Amino acid sequence: MGLFDRLANLLGLRKKEVNVLVVGLNNSGKSTVINNFKHEDDRCIDIVPTVGFNVEKFSCKLNIED
Ligand SMILES: Nc1nc2c(ncn2[C@@H]2O[C@H](COP(=O)(O)OP(=O)(O)OP(=O)(O)O)[C@@H](O)[C@H]2O)c(=O)[nH]1
Ligand SMILES: [Mg+2]
């Protein structure tokens, strides 16, 4: 990785897109967790049981520790 790439990553200029698959038992709170990652203005007020599956696209900032 070159200097520019490192700098761009450090400054957060390069946004990476990831796909996240959320799996779990019925009624275990998957949609609720996803809803809470959304910006306040975009959150659903009423979460109903998901029929089949949902595909959603939104931006959020994650700090992940392993
Ligand atoms: N007490 C409690 N209830 C929760 C929590 N998270 C979600 N719930 C409730 O659990 C119920 C199911 O939440 P959902 O987010 O719809 O769960 P889900 O896994 O998406 O359910 P399906 O789409 O049916 O698979 C809702 O009534 C939520 O309000 C939690 O942390 N604590
Ligand atoms: Mg759901």
Side-chain angles (χ1 to χ4, degrees):
M1 192 184 292
L3 184 62
F4 177 77
D5 290 321
R6 284 186 189 193
L7 200 61
N9 285 337
L10 277 174
L11 295 173
L13 299 176
R14 179 166 298 139
K15 291 182 181 171
K16 285 188 180 168
E17 201 172 287
V18 294
N19 297 316
V20 178
L21 177 67
V22 180
V23 291
L25 295 175
N26 288 348
N27 216 34
S28 59
K30 302 179 295 294
S31 298
T32 304
V33 169
I34 294 166
N35 198 41
N36 278 286
F37 278 116
K38 293 180 186 170
H39 189 271
E40 253 178 277
D41 300 336
D42 301 328
R43 285 183 196 156
C44 301
I45 298 164
D46 278 334
I47 295 182
V48 294
T50 307
V51 179
F53 63 91
N54 252 343
V55 179
E56 294 188 83
K57 192 170 181 175
F58 59 88
S59 301
C60 68
K61 185 178 174 186
L62 289 177
N63 295 318
I64 299 174
E65 294 177 25
D66 183 18

